């Protein structure tokens, strides 16, 4: 039996808006899909952190080929895609570290995020591109909740204030600061305890009718 990918209503604080990209998409099992994404995230981390002998690499490459062949016949257009549209932390995708919401309303959100080995830049610090990924994810979602017309990021300014460590639970707080016509201004901070690791300001522009 298949079930519709959740059509996150405004009554669900800080839920995504699957109507944006996935109207009508069906998934055989949300729990099973989430299990696949969790396993994929672990594979990403294990590959990033591994240096195995050649014989092991041959075997791993074969197994990964087998997995991609199994999925090749089930490829669907974007409107039917499941990844990114599940009502679970991380939205069922493996690009952006999963953001776990603790408190949210239409104008602010607070939650937790952790950067695993896959997101290593160097010297024990998270990659400088991984941090904006999380800011764009959280600010982008906050910009669009509450029945607002959907918007896209016009700019995202990120300040790196301190090294962002891997494998530690960090907090992220974001707010909808102001609105001028189609322009929405949002900001956020990523913290370890009381220490600000990075902060961001973003402009999100509401799309006109028919704008992709
Ligand atoms: C379950 C699913 C969950 C889904 C959950 C998903 C979470 C992640 C969501 C993340 C969202 C994204 O990353 S979206 C992907 C990344 N972003 C993009 O691809 C956007 C690419 N850019 C564009 O499409 C366009 O440039 C727009 C839409 C941003 C703006 O173009 P436009 O609509 O033609 O508007 P335009 O007239 O240019 O600008 C409108 C006003 O904004 C100002 N403006 C525009 N750009 C800028 C700028 N960079 N810096 C300053 N100001 C700017 C203009 O001066 C103007 O001000 P004034 O004259 O009116 O004062």
């Amino acid at each position: 039996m298949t079930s519709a990918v959740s059509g996150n209503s405004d009554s669900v604080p800080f839920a995504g808006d699957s109507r944006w990209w996935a109207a009508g998409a069906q998934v055989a099992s949300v729990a099973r899909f989430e299990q696949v994404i969790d396993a994929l995230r672990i594979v990403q981390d294990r590959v990033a952190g591994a240096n195995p002998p050649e014989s092991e690499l041959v075997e791993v490459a074969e197994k990964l080929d087998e997995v991609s062949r199994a999925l090749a016949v089930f490829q669907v257009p974007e409107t039917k895609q499941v990844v990114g549209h599940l009502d679970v932390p991380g939205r069922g995708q493996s690009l952006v570290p999963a953001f776990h919401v603790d408190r949210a309303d239409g104008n602010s959100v607070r939650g937790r995020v952790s950067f695993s080995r896959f997101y290593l830049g160097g010297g024990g610090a998270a990659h400088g591109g991984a941090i904006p990924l999380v800011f764009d994810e959280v600010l982008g979602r906050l910009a669009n909740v509450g029945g607002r017309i959907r918007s896209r990021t016009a700019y995202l300014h990120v300040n790196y204030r301190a090294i962002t460590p891997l494998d530690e639970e960090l907090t992220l707080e974001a707010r909808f600061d102001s609105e001028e016509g189609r322009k929405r201004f949002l900001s956020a901070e990523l913290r370890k305890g009381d220490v600000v690791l990075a902060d961001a300001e973003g402009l999100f522009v509401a799309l006109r009718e028919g704008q992709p």
Side-chain angles (χ1 to χ4, degrees):
M1 191 179 131
T2 60
S3 57
V5 173
S6 181
N8 311 308
S9 76
D10 293 335
S11 62
V12 183
F14 206 67
D17 184 355
S18 46
R19 286 164 299 179
W20 186 349
W21 290 305
Q26 301 281 315
V27 58
S29 161
V30 170
R32 289 289 179 206
F33 210 102
E34 193 181 9
Q35 195 182 353
V36 168
I37 297 300
D38 288 348
L40 179 57
R41 283 184 181 275
I42 292 170
V43 169
Q44 290 178 161
D45 287 336
R46 294 283 191 263
V47 171
N51 188 357
E54 189 178 357
S55 57
E56 202 63 40
L57 285 171
V58 169
E59 202 176 315
V60 168
E62 279 170 6
K63 285 178 181 161
L64 289 175
D65 276 351
E66 196 182 319
V67 170
S68 66
R69 275 197 305 274
L71 293 172
V73 293
F74 299 108
Q75 297 302 294
V76 293
E78 182 180 343
T79 50
K80 304 283 184 209
Q81 182 177 314
V82 176
V83 158
H85 300 282
L86 294 185
D87 249 346
V88 298
R91 297 187 290 115
Q93 51 81 47
S94 64
L95 173 68
V96 188
F99 179 62
H100 299 263
V101 176
D102 290 323
R103 178 178 57 67
D105 56 39
N107 292 309
S108 67
V109 63
R110 184 189 161 93
R112 289 158 290 122
V113 65
S114 169
F115 294 86
S116 60
R117 183 63 181 266
F118 180 62
Y119 300 100
L120 175 65
H127 195 287
I131 295 161
L133 269 181
V134 177
F135 280 131
D136 193 45
E137 166 85 11
V138 176
L139 293 180
R141 288 170 63 187
L142 183 58
N144 292 326
V145 293
R148 297 182 183 106
I149 294 168
R150 67 187 197 268
S151 64
R152 282 198 187 277
T153 321
Y155 68 66
L156 184 66
H157 181 124
V158 176
N159 297 305
Y160 301 92
R161 306 289 185 187
I163 294 296
T164 295
L166 298 187
D167 298 321
E168 294 209 30
E169 192 170 78
L170 310 172
T171 57
L172 195 154
E173 240 177 312
R175 66 206 65 78
F176 194 114
D177 292 321
S178 63
E179 200 165 9
E180 287 170 28
R182 294 167 59 216
K183 296 189 287 187
R184 300 167 187 169
F185 298 91
L186 290 90
S187 59
E189 299 85 34
L190 177 71
R191 289 192 177 84
K192 179 184 168 189
D194 294 335
V195 179
V196 175
L197 305 175
D199 54 56
E201 290 171 17
L203 168 63
F204 295 78
V205 175
L207 300 179
R208 290 184 296 257
E209 187 74 27
Q211 204 171 354

